[in-house]
Amino acid sequence: YNGETKAVNVSSYEDLIKKLPRSQNNLGYIFGGYYFNDGQSQDRPLTSKNFDYIVEKNNDMTISIKWYPSSKTKVWGDLFYEVSNSSITIVGTKNHTATSVEIPNTIDGMPVTKVGAGAFAWCTDITTLTLNNNLKKIAGLDEPLPKPYTGSSVPAFNGCGKISRINASSINSWINLNQRSFNSKYDLYINNKKLIDLVIPNEITEIPSGCFYSCISLKSITLHDKVVSVGIQSFAQCTNVSKLDL
């Protein structure tokens, strides 16, 4: 990191993340996430699964932090953002110890439509997340690195394993937005009401892969006959569901 090498002793993945260098994002750069190299492959995004595997094999692991140049980065409160085609993407945060995060509807009169790759990655203290009406995309596992770089980057909320409550404005916006963007068990609230009985709206015909993954507030699911596609793991780990109506 910044040309320096540092050795750390850790007891867990979370302990490791807390001990890694954490610099506030600098204007002109986008935080690209933590990556590891075990000497057997090219750098890959660091995850708890990868960490556990390396520990199990008792191998050495080199961890790096990647930053990508960007001349468009601006600041709004604790958030770093970029403007493209009159819409805004959140690309980072100054506050890595926040317990609650709210994505604003607009910044400078422009809609916030995306949370970019690694924007809140390894902000391990987040427990509550509020999403706005204008969001169309939260970077997931399929998010590419910014050009001219190649490969996949880390999800927007990678490593945020304590998120237990997510607030969304509507079922439609959630379904159109979420494709397994979170890796913790959470309660989903729609307009401040906990979602227990899910009824898919008539205008929704496809449910994306991982859409409700690990949503533990759900107890029943009702699908209508116009739903033609249910993606892989759309309702995986929804451990409290006891009723399904087709």
Side-chain angles (χ1 to χ4, degrees):
Y1 177 65
N2 285 345
E4 300 177 359
T5 300
K6 180 180 180 181
V8 294
N9 293 319
V10 297
S11 58
S12 66
Y13 170 73
E14 187 173 72
D15 186 30
L16 170 69
I17 295 303
K18 289 184 178 297
K19 290 182 178 179
L20 287 174
R22 283 203 179 190
S23 173
Q24 292 182 352
N25 293 29
N26 296 312
L27 286 179
Y29 290 87
I30 300 174
F31 175 60
Y34 297 116
Y35 290 75
F36 82 99
N37 191 315
D38 56 6
Q40 301 178 13
S41 60
Q42 296 179 341
D43 284 359
R44 290 176 286 170
L46 179 66
T47 65
S48 59
K49 183 177 180 180
N50 291 333
F51 175 78
D52 291 341
Y53 177 80
I54 296 296
V55 171
E56 180 184 343
K57 297 298 182 181
N58 198 28
N59 291 341
D60 292 332
M61 176 169 53
T62 299
I63 298 172
S64 61
I65 301 175
K66 294 187 178 182
W67 298 83
Y68 299 98
S70 173
S71 60
K72 301 181 292 182
T73 310
K74 300 180 180 181
V75 180
W76 188 84
D78 284 337
L79 301 176
F80 293 89
Y81 71 94
E82 291 189 349
V83 179
S84 178
N85 297 323
S86 298
S87 63
I88 286 176
T89 297
I90 303 298
V91 297
T93 178
K94 293 180 181 180
N95 189 355
H96 296 288
T97 59
T99 58
S100 178
V101 169
E102 181 174 355
I103 306 300
N105 276 312
T106 62
I107 294 177
D108 293 336
M110 292 175 285
V112 177
T113 58
K114 181 178 178 180
V115 182
F120 296 91
W122 297 283
C123 292
T124 56
D125 294 323
I126 298 175
T127 59
T128 302
L129 174 64
T130 300
L131 307 175
N132 71 46
N133 298 330
N134 294 319
L135 271 181
K136 297 179 180 179
K137 173 75 173 179
I138 295 178
L141 296 170
D142 60 340
E143 187 72 8
L145 294 173
K147 294 180 179 179
Y149 308 99
T150 58
S152 297
S153 188
V154 295
F157 292 93
N158 193 57
C160 301
K162 293 182 181 178
I163 294 177
S164 58
R165 172 170 175 158
I166 300 177
N167 303 309
S169 58
S170 69
I171 289 293
N172 294 49
S173 65
W174 177 259
I175 290 176
N176 292 329
L177 170 70
N178 182 36
Q179 296 189 35
R180 194 174 175 181
S181 301
F182 309 98
N183 55 9
S184 60
K185 295 183 181 297
Y186 61 89
D187 291 325
L188 179 60
Y189 285 75
I190 304 297
N191 284 330
N192 293 317
K193 182 179 180 181
K194 183 186 285 190
L195 183 62
I196 296 175
D197 301 309
L198 170 63
V199 178
I200 301 298
N202 288 331
E203 59 269 27
I204 297 295
T205 59
E206 298 182 4
I207 301 175
S209 297
C211 187
F212 292 92
Y213 187 92
S214 287
C215 179
I216 59 174
S217 60
L218 287 181
K219 293 186 178 180
S220 72
I221 301 168
T222 301
L223 305 179
H224 56 78
D225 58 8
K226 294 181 181 178
V227 174
V228 297
S229 174
V230 177
I232 297 172
Q233 295 188 324
S234 292
F235 298 101
Q237 301 302 314
C238 296
T239 52
N240 291 320
V241 172
S242 58
K243 182 180 179 182
L244 175 62
D245 290 331
L246 301 176

